[in-house]
Amino acid sequence: MLSTPRLALVLAAVSLGCNPTTSGGTTPPPDNANTGAGGPTIGGPPPEGGGAAAADPQNPGGAAGTTDPGAGTDGAGTGVVAGSPNDTRFLAPEISHSKGVAGGVVVLFPRIIPSAIAAENQNYAQAVQQKMKQLVEKALPGRPIDVRPSPERVCPKAGCEAMSIGVLFTRQNNSCIAVALVNAPGVSTTKMVPWGGEVTLKADPIQFRDPPENFVTIKDYTNCDQLVVEMGKQDSFVEAALRAAAGPSPSATATTPAAPNTPAASGNITAKPSGK
């Protein structure tokens, strides 16, 4: 038989084992929605194409206008309404973060296909983009030109304020293909012009932002080391597409007086088709 002190200790232990160990609060379920401090900002539109935008090597500090809670701002930028079409915070890296200006030209970075070879072909792409810029300066002198960095290769869903030119580029060993991609301002069809190598176009023009590589069949490549030289042989066709997409110069429209309403002389036809 247990002595009185030892019996008291046993009874005390039994009593503690029967009491609940909580204070009556309910344990919250696990946070499967990931709504902690690292979650998405409430009230902002989703990134282009859904999900978080990949890091942009041209902007290692983050996309322009990134929200800074510590600064007490929404990050949309001066004069930009958060969530508006001009709010570029949620654009994917490949979307142009500039729409250009009316009457100007956006020179996009080449579209390198497949994307797996993009990094190794940056030098070729930069040379092709420089060629694009020079041709724009020749075909549309005096127009504002906005040259976009890698990897900005397409206008936003609402289109650019300016017309745009890009290039579809692909390479196999030392063989390359280049196809010009020309868009008028806004949401407009894409005019494709073979520019380096020989291709067959399954459709032309194509719908705005349709993947152009789906409409091109390669017949013959050109030597990559001579790509820019070979592109020069097709410049006149790309120039015509640029002029057609750009329309009349804003300054010319503003300063040129209306032609007098005088009948043209019989047999004199001086007008030429647009873009010719």
Side-chain angles (χ1 to χ4, degrees), residues 154-196:
V154 66
C155 286
K157 286 183 178 179
C160 287
E161 297 290 339
M163 65 155 294
S164 65
I165 177 172
V167 160
L168 171 64
F169 172 90
T170 190
R171 175 184 168 218
Q172 189 174 68
N173 298 321
N174 199 39
S175 302
C176 288
I177 287 289
V179 178
L181 309 171
V182 180
N183 281 88
V187 178
S188 62
T189 56
T190 302
K191 173 68 177 175
M192 298 196 297
V193 185
W195 207 358

PDB file of all heavy atoms in Angstrom, residues 154-196:
ATOM      1  N   VAL A 154       7.755  42.578 -78.852  1.00  0.00           N
ATOM      2  CA  VAL A 154       6.377  42.691 -79.325  1.00  0.00           C
ATOM      3  C   VAL A 154       5.683  43.823 -78.582  1.00  0.00           C
ATOM      4  O   VAL A 154       5.994  44.107 -77.420  1.00  0.00           O
ATOM      5  CB  VAL A 154       5.614  41.355 -79.123  1.00  0.00           C
ATOM      6  CG1 VAL A 154       5.446  41.033 -77.642  1.00  0.00           C
ATOM      7  CG2 VAL A 154       4.260  41.380 -79.814  1.00  0.00           C
ATOM      8  N   CYS A 155       4.739  44.495 -79.256  1.00  0.00           N
ATOM      9  CA  CYS A 155       3.969  45.568 -78.614  1.00  0.00           C
ATOM     10  C   CYS A 155       2.947  44.974 -77.645  1.00  0.00           C
ATOM     11  O   CYS A 155       2.591  43.793 -77.751  1.00  0.00           O
ATOM     12  CB  CYS A 155       3.250  46.398 -79.680  1.00  0.00           C
ATOM     13  SG  CYS A 155       4.336  47.503 -80.620  1.00  0.00           S
ATOM     14  N   PRO A 156       2.441  45.781 -76.694  1.00  0.00           N
ATOM     15  CA  PRO A 156       1.410  45.290 -75.773  1.00  0.00           C
ATOM     16  C   PRO A 156       0.126  44.897 -76.515  1.00  0.00           C
ATOM     17  O   PRO A 156      -0.025  45.167 -77.712  1.00  0.00           O
ATOM     18  CB  PRO A 156       1.162  46.490 -74.847  1.00  0.00           C
ATOM     19  CG  PRO A 156       2.385  47.337 -74.983  1.00  0.00           C
ATOM     20  CD  PRO A 156       2.875  47.151 -76.377  1.00  0.00           C
ATOM     21  N   LYS A 157      -0.795  44.287 -75.805  1.00  0.00           N
ATOM     22  CA  LYS A 157      -2.041  43.815 -76.409  1.00  0.00           C
ATOM     23  C   LYS A 157      -2.834  44.940 -77.055  1.00  0.00           C
ATOM     24  O   LYS A 157      -3.554  44.723 -78.037  1.00  0.00           O
ATOM     25  CB  LYS A 157      -2.904  43.109 -75.352  1.00  0.00           C
ATOM     26  CG  LYS A 157      -2.399  41.731 -74.973  1.00  0.00           C
ATOM     27  CD  LYS A 157      -3.343  41.063 -73.984  1.00  0.00           C
ATOM     28  CE  LYS A 157      -2.865  39.647 -73.646  1.00  0.00           C
ATOM     29  NZ  LYS A 157      -3.765  38.989 -72.676  1.00  0.00           N
ATOM     30  N   ALA A 158      -2.744  46.145 -76.517  1.00  0.00           N
ATOM     31  CA  ALA A 158      -3.461  47.284 -77.083  1.00  0.00           C
ATOM     32  C   ALA A 158      -2.685  47.931 -78.227  1.00  0.00           C
ATOM     33  O   ALA A 158      -3.129  48.929 -78.788  1.00  0.00           O
ATOM     34  CB  ALA A 158      -3.744  48.311 -75.992  1.00  0.00           C
ATOM     35  N   GLY A 159      -1.533  47.370 -78.578  1.00  0.00           N
ATOM     36  CA  GLY A 159      -0.719  47.914 -79.648  1.00  0.00           C
ATOM     37  C   GLY A 159       0.168  49.049 -79.169  1.00  0.00           C
ATOM     38  O   GLY A 159       0.101  49.475 -78.017  1.00  0.00           O
ATOM     39  N   CYS A 160       1.029  49.526 -80.047  1.00  0.00           N
ATOM     40  CA  CYS A 160       1.893  50.667 -79.754  1.00  0.00           C
ATOM     41  C   CYS A 160       1.259  51.948 -80.298  1.00  0.00           C
ATOM     42  O   CYS A 160       0.458  51.904 -81.228  1.00  0.00           O
ATOM     43  CB  CYS A 160       3.278  50.458 -80.387  1.00  0.00           C
ATOM     44  SG  CYS A 160       4.302  49.216 -79.548  1.00  0.00           S
ATOM     45  N   GLU A 161       1.623  53.079 -79.715  1.00  0.00           N
ATOM     46  CA  GLU A 161       1.175  54.369 -80.236  1.00  0.00           C
ATOM     47  C   GLU A 161       1.856  54.630 -81.586  1.00  0.00           C
ATOM     48  O   GLU A 161       1.258  55.224 -82.488  1.00  0.00           O
ATOM     49  CB  GLU A 161       1.517  55.501 -79.264  1.00  0.00           C
ATOM     50  CG  GLU A 161       0.840  55.399 -77.907  1.00  0.00           C
ATOM     51  CD  GLU A 161      -0.655  55.659 -77.986  1.00  0.00           C
ATOM     52  OE1 GLU A 161      -1.094  56.302 -78.967  1.00  0.00           O
ATOM     53  OE2 GLU A 161      -1.384  55.199 -77.088  1.00  0.00           O
ATOM     54  N   ALA A 162       3.090  54.214 -81.711  1.00  0.00           N
ATOM     55  CA  ALA A 162       3.838  54.354 -82.960  1.00  0.00           C
ATOM     56  C   ALA A 162       3.661  53.094 -83.794  1.00  0.00           C
ATOM     57  O   ALA A 162       3.159  52.074 -83.320  1.00  0.00           O
ATOM     58  CB  ALA A 162       5.316  54.567 -82.650  1.00  0.00           C
ATOM     59  N   MET A 163       4.058  53.160 -85.054  1.00  0.00           N
ATOM     60  CA  MET A 163       4.166  51.933 -85.822  1.00  0.00           C
ATOM     61  C   MET A 163       5.389  51.168 -85.308  1.00  0.00           C
ATOM     62  O   MET A 163       6.228  51.733 -84.594  1.00  0.00           O
ATOM     63  CB  MET A 163       4.320  52.239 -87.314  1.00  0.00           C
ATOM     64  CG  MET A 163       5.605  52.958 -87.672  1.00  0.00           C
ATOM     65  SD  MET A 163       6.091  52.665 -89.390  1.00  0.00           S
ATOM     66  CE  MET A 163       6.440  50.913 -89.352  1.00  0.00           C
ATOM     67  N   SER A 164       5.499  49.903 -85.641  1.00  0.00           N
ATOM     68  CA  SER A 164       6.619  49.110 -85.125  1.00  0.00           C
ATOM     69  C   SER A 164       7.191  48.220 -86.208  1.00  0.00           C
ATOM     70  O   SER A 164       6.507  47.849 -87.171  1.00  0.00           O
ATOM     71  CB  SER A 164       6.176  48.254 -83.932  1.00  0.00           C
ATOM     72  OG  SER A 164       5.221  47.280 -84.347  1.00  0.00           O
ATOM     73  N   ILE A 165       8.470  47.900 -86.033  1.00  0.00           N
ATOM     74  CA  ILE A 165       9.137  46.934 -86.900  1.00  0.00           C
ATOM     75  C   ILE A 165       9.927  45.970 -86.024  1.00  0.00           C
ATOM     76  O   ILE A 165      10.585  46.380 -85.060  1.00  0.00           O
ATOM     77  CB  ILE A 165      10.059  47.616 -87.937  1.00  0.00           C
ATOM     78  CG1 ILE A 165      10.787  46.542 -88.782  1.00  0.00           C
ATOM     79  CG2 ILE A 165      11.056  48.561 -87.281  1.00  0.00           C
ATOM     80  CD1 ILE A 165      11.575  47.093 -89.943  1.00  0.00           C
ATOM     81  N   GLY A 166       9.815  44.704 -86.348  1.00  0.00           N
ATOM     82  CA  GLY A 166      10.584  43.671 -85.669  1.00  0.00           C
ATOM     83  C   GLY A 166      11.123  42.711 -86.722  1.00  0.00           C
ATOM     84  O   GLY A 166      10.907  42.894 -87.926  1.00  0.00           O
ATOM     85  N   VAL A 167      11.797  41.674 -86.272  1.00  0.00           N
ATOM     86  CA  VAL A 167      12.353  40.676 -87.183  1.00  0.00           C
ATOM     87  C   VAL A 167      12.201  39.294 -86.561  1.00  0.00           C
ATOM     88  O   VAL A 167      12.479  39.108 -85.368  1.00  0.00           O
ATOM     89  CB  VAL A 167      13.842  40.961 -87.493  1.00  0.00           C
ATOM     90  CG1 VAL A 167      14.534  39.713 -88.019  1.00  0.00           C
ATOM     91  CG2 VAL A 167      13.981  42.060 -88.522  1.00  0.00           C
ATOM     92  N   LEU A 168      11.750  38.357 -87.367  1.00  0.00           N
ATOM     93  CA  LEU A 168      11.779  36.945 -86.991  1.00  0.00           C
ATOM     94  C   LEU A 168      13.142  36.398 -87.415  1.00  0.00           C
ATOM     95  O   LEU A 168      13.516  36.481 -88.589  1.00  0.00           O
ATOM     96  CB  LEU A 168      10.652  36.191 -87.695  1.00  0.00           C
ATOM     97  CG  LEU A 168      10.672  34.665 -87.579  1.00  0.00           C
ATOM     98  CD1 LEU A 168      10.491  34.226 -86.138  1.00  0.00           C
ATOM     99  CD2 LEU A 168       9.610  34.044 -88.484  1.00  0.00           C
ATOM    100  N   PHE A 169      13.888  35.876 -86.457  1.00  0.00           N
ATOM    101  CA  PHE A 169      15.259  35.404 -86.722  1.00  0.00           C
ATOM    102  C   PHE A 169      15.405  33.968 -86.253  1.00  0.00           C
ATOM    103  O   PHE A 169      14.936  33.601 -85.175  1.00  0.00           O
ATOM    104  CB  PHE A 169      16.262  36.293 -85.981  1.00  0.00           C
ATOM    105  CG  PHE A 169      17.683  35.793 -86.013  1.00  0.00           C
ATOM    106  CD1 PHE A 169      18.552  36.173 -87.029  1.00  0.00           C
ATOM    107  CD2 PHE A 169      18.169  34.927 -85.032  1.00  0.00           C
ATOM    108  CE1 PHE A 169      19.869  35.707 -87.071  1.00  0.00           C
ATOM    109  CE2 PHE A 169      19.473  34.458 -85.054  1.00  0.00           C
ATOM    110  CZ  PHE A 169      20.324  34.850 -86.084  1.00  0.00           C
ATOM    111  N   THR A 170      16.057  33.159 -87.084  1.00  0.00           N
ATOM    112  CA  THR A 170      16.412  31.816 -86.653  1.00  0.00           C
ATOM    113  C   THR A 170      17.758  31.459 -87.260  1.00  0.00           C
ATOM    114  O   THR A 170      18.170  32.014 -88.282  1.00  0.00           O
ATOM    115  CB  THR A 170      15.350  30.768 -87.028  1.00  0.00           C
ATOM    116  OG1 THR A 170      15.655  29.533 -86.369  1.00  0.00           O
ATOM    117  CG2 THR A 170      15.296  30.531 -88.530  1.00  0.00           C
ATOM    118  N   ARG A 171      18.439  30.530 -86.612  1.00  0.00           N
ATOM    119  CA  ARG A 171      19.784  30.153 -87.040  1.00  0.00           C
ATOM    120  C   ARG A 171      19.998  28.663 -86.842  1.00  0.00           C
ATOM    121  O   ARG A 171      19.550  28.086 -85.841  1.00  0.00           O
ATOM    122  CB  ARG A 171      20.825  30.930 -86.225  1.00  0.00           C
ATOM    123  CG  ARG A 171      22.267  30.523 -86.494  1.00  0.00           C
ATOM    124  CD  ARG A 171      23.212  31.271 -85.564  1.00  0.00           C
ATOM    125  NE  ARG A 171      24.555  30.695 -85.609  1.00  0.00           N
ATOM    126  CZ  ARG A 171      25.342  30.574 -84.552  1.00  0.00           C
ATOM    127  NH1 ARG A 171      24.931  30.985 -83.361  1.00  0.00           N
ATOM    128  NH2 ARG A 171      26.541  30.055 -84.673  1.00  0.00           N
ATOM    129  N   GLN A 172      20.691  28.058 -87.793  1.00  0.00           N
ATOM    130  CA  GLN A 172      21.094  26.656 -87.691  1.00  0.00           C
ATOM    131  C   GLN A 172      22.540  26.569 -88.123  1.00  0.00           C
ATOM    132  O   GLN A 172      22.848  26.791 -89.303  1.00  0.00           O
ATOM    133  CB  GLN A 172      20.198  25.773 -88.561  1.00  0.00           C
ATOM    134  CG  GLN A 172      20.403  24.292 -88.338  1.00  0.00           C
ATOM    135  CD  GLN A 172      19.389  23.469 -89.110  1.00  0.00           C
ATOM    136  OE1 GLN A 172      19.436  23.436 -90.336  1.00  0.00           O
ATOM    137  NE2 GLN A 172      18.482  22.820 -88.403  1.00  0.00           N
ATOM    138  N   ASN A 173      23.430  26.292 -87.177  1.00  0.00           N
ATOM    139  CA  ASN A 173      24.868  26.334 -87.408  1.00  0.00           C
ATOM    140  C   ASN A 173      25.250  27.728 -87.896  1.00  0.00           C
ATOM    141  O   ASN A 173      25.034  28.705 -87.196  1.00  0.00           O
ATOM    142  CB  ASN A 173      25.278  25.225 -88.381  1.00  0.00           C
ATOM    143  CG  ASN A 173      24.980  23.840 -87.826  1.00  0.00           C
ATOM    144  OD1 ASN A 173      25.161  23.605 -86.634  1.00  0.00           O
ATOM    145  ND2 ASN A 173      24.517  22.939 -88.672  1.00  0.00           N
ATOM    146  N   ASN A 174      25.767  27.856 -89.116  1.00  0.00           N
ATOM    147  CA  ASN A 174      26.122  29.180 -89.623  1.00  0.00           C
ATOM    148  C   ASN A 174      25.154  29.633 -90.720  1.00  0.00           C
ATOM    149  O   ASN A 174      25.508  30.410 -91.608  1.00  0.00           O
ATOM    150  CB  ASN A 174      27.556  29.192 -90.174  1.00  0.00           C
ATOM    151  CG  ASN A 174      28.112  30.608 -90.283  1.00  0.00           C
ATOM    152  OD1 ASN A 174      27.870  31.437 -89.407  1.00  0.00           O
ATOM    153  ND2 ASN A 174      28.851  30.889 -91.353  1.00  0.00           N
ATOM    154  N   SER A 175      23.911  29.156 -90.639  1.00  0.00           N
ATOM    155  CA  SER A 175      22.889  29.496 -91.618  1.00  0.00           C
ATOM    156  C   SER A 175      21.754  30.238 -90.915  1.00  0.00           C
ATOM    157  O   SER A 175      21.269  29.793 -89.870  1.00  0.00           O
ATOM    158  CB  SER A 175      22.343  28.231 -92.291  1.00  0.00           C
ATOM    159  OG  SER A 175      23.406  27.520 -92.918  1.00  0.00           O
ATOM    160  N   CYS A 176      21.349  31.378 -91.488  1.00  0.00           N
ATOM    161  CA  CYS A 176      20.369  32.245 -90.824  1.00  0.00           C
ATOM    162  C   CYS A 176      19.200  32.596 -91.737  1.00  0.00           C
ATOM    163  O   CYS A 176      19.305  32.531 -92.969  1.00  0.00           O
ATOM    164  CB  CYS A 176      21.044  33.541 -90.362  1.00  0.00           C
ATOM    165  SG  CYS A 176      22.160  33.339 -88.957  1.00  0.00           S
ATOM    166  N   ILE A 177      18.110  32.986 -91.090  1.00  0.00           N
ATOM    167  CA  ILE A 177      16.905  33.474 -91.773  1.00  0.00           C
ATOM    168  C   ILE A 177      16.437  34.719 -91.042  1.00  0.00           C
ATOM    169  O   ILE A 177      16.465  34.779 -89.805  1.00  0.00           O
ATOM    170  CB  ILE A 177      15.778  32.418 -91.754  1.00  0.00           C
ATOM    171  CG1 ILE A 177      16.098  31.274 -92.706  1.00  0.00           C
ATOM    172  CG2 ILE A 177      14.424  33.029 -92.103  1.00  0.00           C
ATOM    173  CD1 ILE A 177      16.001  31.615 -94.175  1.00  0.00           C
ATOM    174  N   ALA A 178      15.982  35.732 -91.802  1.00  0.00           N
ATOM    175  CA  ALA A 178      15.399  36.938 -91.202  1.00  0.00           C
ATOM    176  C   ALA A 178      14.160  37.340 -91.992  1.00  0.00           C
ATOM    177  O   ALA A 178      14.195  37.386 -93.235  1.00  0.00           O
ATOM    178  CB  ALA A 178      16.413  38.080 -91.198  1.00  0.00           C
ATOM    179  N   VAL A 179      13.073  37.593 -91.268  1.00  0.00           N
ATOM    180  CA  VAL A 179      11.821  38.040 -91.885  1.00  0.00           C
ATOM    181  C   VAL A 179      11.369  39.298 -91.157  1.00  0.00           C
ATOM    182  O   VAL A 179      11.215  39.289 -89.929  1.00  0.00           O
ATOM    183  CB  VAL A 179      10.724  36.954 -91.802  1.00  0.00           C
ATOM    184  CG1 VAL A 179       9.421  37.462 -92.415  1.00  0.00           C
ATOM    185  CG2 VAL A 179      11.175  35.676 -92.485  1.00  0.00           C
ATOM    186  N   ALA A 180      11.171  40.397 -91.883  1.00  0.00           N
ATOM    187  CA  ALA A 180      10.712  41.640 -91.259  1.00  0.00           C
ATOM    188  C   ALA A 180       9.248  41.521 -90.848  1.00  0.00           C
ATOM    189  O   ALA A 180       8.437  40.898 -91.552  1.00  0.00           O
ATOM    190  CB  ALA A 180      10.893  42.801 -92.234  1.00  0.00           C
ATOM    191  N   LEU A 181       8.922  42.130 -89.705  1.00  0.00           N
ATOM    192  CA  LEU A 181       7.557  42.146 -89.169  1.00  0.00           C
ATOM    193  C   LEU A 181       7.161  43.605 -88.968  1.00  0.00           C
ATOM    194  O   LEU A 181       7.708  44.278 -88.096  1.00  0.00           O
ATOM    195  CB  LEU A 181       7.501  41.381 -87.847  1.00  0.00           C
ATOM    196  CG  LEU A 181       8.111  39.966 -87.853  1.00  0.00           C
ATOM    197  CD1 LEU A 181       8.195  39.422 -86.432  1.00  0.00           C
ATOM    198  CD2 LEU A 181       7.295  39.035 -88.743  1.00  0.00           C
ATOM    199  N   VAL A 182       6.227  44.086 -89.763  1.00  0.00           N
ATOM    200  CA  VAL A 182       5.878  45.509 -89.759  1.00  0.00           C
ATOM    201  C   VAL A 182       4.423  45.677 -89.357  1.00  0.00           C
ATOM    202  O   VAL A 182       3.529  45.029 -89.914  1.00  0.00           O
ATOM    203  CB  VAL A 182       6.127  46.140 -91.144  1.00  0.00           C
ATOM    204  CG1 VAL A 182       5.757  47.625 -91.123  1.00  0.00           C
ATOM    205  CG2 VAL A 182       7.584  45.959 -91.563  1.00  0.00           C
ATOM    206  N   ASN A 183       4.181  46.561 -88.368  1.00  0.00           N
ATOM    207  CA  ASN A 183       2.823  46.846 -87.891  1.00  0.00           C
ATOM    208  C   ASN A 183       2.539  48.330 -87.928  1.00  0.00           C
ATOM    209  O   ASN A 183       3.390  49.141 -87.529  1.00  0.00           O
ATOM    210  CB  ASN A 183       2.624  46.352 -86.458  1.00  0.00           C
ATOM    211  CG  ASN A 183       2.374  44.864 -86.382  1.00  0.00           C
ATOM    212  OD1 ASN A 183       3.306  44.085 -86.303  1.00  0.00           O
ATOM    213  ND2 ASN A 183       1.110  44.465 -86.400  1.00  0.00           N
ATOM    214  N   ALA A 184       1.361  48.700 -88.370  1.00  0.00           N
ATOM    215  CA  ALA A 184       0.883  50.071 -88.230  1.00  0.00           C
ATOM    216  C   ALA A 184       0.578  50.320 -86.756  1.00  0.00           C
ATOM    217  O   ALA A 184       0.535  49.376 -85.950  1.00  0.00           O
ATOM    218  CB  ALA A 184      -0.354  50.281 -89.097  1.00  0.00           C
ATOM    219  N   PRO A 185       0.351  51.566 -86.338  1.00  0.00           N
ATOM    220  CA  PRO A 185       0.029  51.832 -84.929  1.00  0.00           C
ATOM    221  C   PRO A 185      -1.241  51.100 -84.477  1.00  0.00           C
ATOM    222  O   PRO A 185      -2.115  50.778 -85.282  1.00  0.00           O
ATOM    223  CB  PRO A 185      -0.187  53.353 -84.904  1.00  0.00           C
ATOM    224  CG  PRO A 185       0.576  53.868 -86.076  1.00  0.00           C
ATOM    225  CD  PRO A 185       0.466  52.801 -87.126  1.00  0.00           C
ATOM    226  N   GLY A 186      -1.318  50.842 -83.178  1.00  0.00           N
ATOM    227  CA  GLY A 186      -2.498  50.195 -82.608  1.00  0.00           C
ATOM    228  C   GLY A 186      -2.531  48.703 -82.901  1.00  0.00           C
ATOM    229  O   GLY A 186      -1.513  48.074 -83.188  1.00  0.00           O
ATOM    230  N   VAL A 187      -3.736  48.130 -82.822  1.00  0.00           N
ATOM    231  CA  VAL A 187      -3.923  46.703 -83.090  1.00  0.00           C
ATOM    232  C   VAL A 187      -4.114  46.549 -84.597  1.00  0.00           C
ATOM    233  O   VAL A 187      -5.191  46.801 -85.124  1.00  0.00           O
ATOM    234  CB  VAL A 187      -5.141  46.143 -82.321  1.00  0.00           C
ATOM    235  CG1 VAL A 187      -5.345  44.674 -82.648  1.00  0.00           C
ATOM    236  CG2 VAL A 187      -4.949  46.338 -80.822  1.00  0.00           C
ATOM    237  N   SER A 188      -3.070  46.157 -85.281  1.00  0.00           N
ATOM    238  CA  SER A 188      -3.108  46.068 -86.742  1.00  0.00           C
ATOM    239  C   SER A 188      -2.486  44.766 -87.195  1.00  0.00           C
ATOM    240  O   SER A 188      -1.710  44.148 -86.459  1.00  0.00           O
ATOM    241  CB  SER A 188      -2.356  47.248 -87.363  1.00  0.00           C
ATOM    242  OG  SER A 188      -0.997  47.224 -86.975  1.00  0.00           O
ATOM    243  N   THR A 189      -2.829  44.343 -88.405  1.00  0.00           N
ATOM    244  CA  THR A 189      -2.237  43.124 -88.926  1.00  0.00           C
ATOM    245  C   THR A 189      -0.732  43.306 -89.124  1.00  0.00           C
ATOM    246  O   THR A 189      -0.241  44.422 -89.270  1.00  0.00           O
ATOM    247  CB  THR A 189      -2.882  42.733 -90.267  1.00  0.00           C
ATOM    248  OG1 THR A 189      -2.762  43.827 -91.185  1.00  0.00           O
ATOM    249  CG2 THR A 189      -4.346  42.375 -90.072  1.00  0.00           C
ATOM    250  N   THR A 190      -0.021  42.195 -89.128  1.00  0.00           N
ATOM    251  CA  THR A 190       1.432  42.202 -89.270  1.00  0.00           C
ATOM    252  C   THR A 190       1.822  41.854 -90.700  1.00  0.00           C
ATOM    253  O   THR A 190       1.475  40.776 -91.200  1.00  0.00           O
ATOM    254  CB  THR A 190       2.073  41.190 -88.306  1.00  0.00           C
ATOM    255  OG1 THR A 190       1.704  41.513 -86.965  1.00  0.00           O
ATOM    256  CG2 THR A 190       3.587  41.190 -88.435  1.00  0.00           C
ATOM    257  N   LYS A 191       2.517  42.781 -91.342  1.00  0.00           N
ATOM    258  CA  LYS A 191       3.045  42.544 -92.680  1.00  0.00           C
ATOM    259  C   LYS A 191       4.380  41.847 -92.553  1.00  0.00           C
ATOM    260  O   LYS A 191       5.287  42.325 -91.857  1.00  0.00           O
ATOM    261  CB  LYS A 191       3.210  43.873 -93.423  1.00  0.00           C
ATOM    262  CG  LYS A 191       3.909  43.772 -94.771  1.00  0.00           C
ATOM    263  CD  LYS A 191       3.069  43.041 -95.796  1.00  0.00           C
ATOM    264  CE  LYS A 191       3.763  43.024 -97.162  1.00  0.00           C
ATOM    265  NZ  LYS A 191       2.997  42.204 -98.139  1.00  0.00           N
ATOM    266  N   MET A 192       4.537  40.687 -93.214  1.00  0.00           N
ATOM    267  CA  MET A 192       5.788  39.936 -93.171  1.00  0.00           C
ATOM    268  C   MET A 192       6.516  40.095 -94.504  1.00  0.00           C
ATOM    269  O   MET A 192       5.918  39.924 -95.570  1.00  0.00           O
ATOM    270  CB  MET A 192       5.523  38.459 -92.868  1.00  0.00           C
ATOM    271  CG  MET A 192       4.871  38.224 -91.515  1.00  0.00           C
ATOM    272  SD  MET A 192       4.989  36.494 -90.968  1.00  0.00           S
ATOM    273  CE  MET A 192       4.052  35.647 -92.226  1.00  0.00           C
ATOM    274  N   VAL A 193       7.803  40.424 -94.425  1.00  0.00           N
ATOM    275  CA  VAL A 193       8.618  40.626 -95.623  1.00  0.00           C
ATOM    276  C   VAL A 193       9.895  39.796 -95.497  1.00  0.00           C
ATOM    277  O   VAL A 193      10.705  40.055 -94.598  1.00  0.00           O
ATOM    278  CB  VAL A 193       8.986  42.115 -95.812  1.00  0.00           C
ATOM    279  CG1 VAL A 193       9.738  42.303 -97.131  1.00  0.00           C
ATOM    280  CG2 VAL A 193       7.754  43.007 -95.753  1.00  0.00           C
ATOM    281  N   PRO A 194      10.116  38.800 -96.372  1.00  0.00           N
ATOM    282  CA  PRO A 194      11.372  38.051 -96.334  1.00  0.00           C
ATOM    283  C   PRO A 194      12.545  39.018 -96.496  1.00  0.00           C
ATOM    284  O   PRO A 194      12.549  39.869 -97.386  1.00  0.00           O
ATOM    285  CB  PRO A 194      11.251  37.103 -97.537  1.00  0.00           C
ATOM    286  CG  PRO A 194       9.771  36.939 -97.732  1.00  0.00           C
ATOM    287  CD  PRO A 194       9.172  38.274 -97.390  1.00  0.00           C
ATOM    288  N   TRP A 195      13.558  38.870 -95.615  1.00  0.00           N
ATOM    289  CA  TRP A 195      14.633  39.862 -95.595  1.00  0.00           C
ATOM    290  C   TRP A 195      16.020  39.240 -95.674  1.00  0.00           C
ATOM    291  O   TRP A 195      16.980  39.880 -96.067  1.00  0.00           O
ATOM    292  CB  TRP A 195      14.504  40.723 -94.332  1.00  0.00           C
ATOM    293  CG  TRP A 195      15.071  42.095 -94.444  1.00  0.00           C
ATOM    294  CD1 TRP A 195      15.723  42.638 -95.519  1.00  0.00           C
ATOM    295  CD2 TRP A 195      15.051  43.110 -93.445  1.00  0.00           C
ATOM    296  NE1 TRP A 195      16.096  43.933 -95.253  1.00  0.00           N
ATOM    297  CE2 TRP A 195      15.683  44.256 -93.981  1.00  0.00           C
ATOM    298  CE3 TRP A 195      14.549  43.179 -92.148  1.00  0.00           C
ATOM    299  CZ2 TRP A 195      15.847  45.422 -93.270  1.00  0.00           C
ATOM    300  CZ3 TRP A 195      14.698  44.347 -91.433  1.00  0.00           C
ATOM    301  CH2 TRP A 195      15.334  45.470 -91.986  1.00  0.00           C
ATOM    302  N   GLY A 196      16.148  37.984 -95.309  1.00  0.00           N
ATOM    303  CA  GLY A 196      17.428  37.286 -95.381  1.00  0.00           C
ATOM    304  C   GLY A 196      17.162  35.810 -95.515  1.00  0.00           C
ATOM    305  O   GLY A 196      16.448  35.231 -94.697  1.00  0.00           O
TER     306      GLY A 196
END
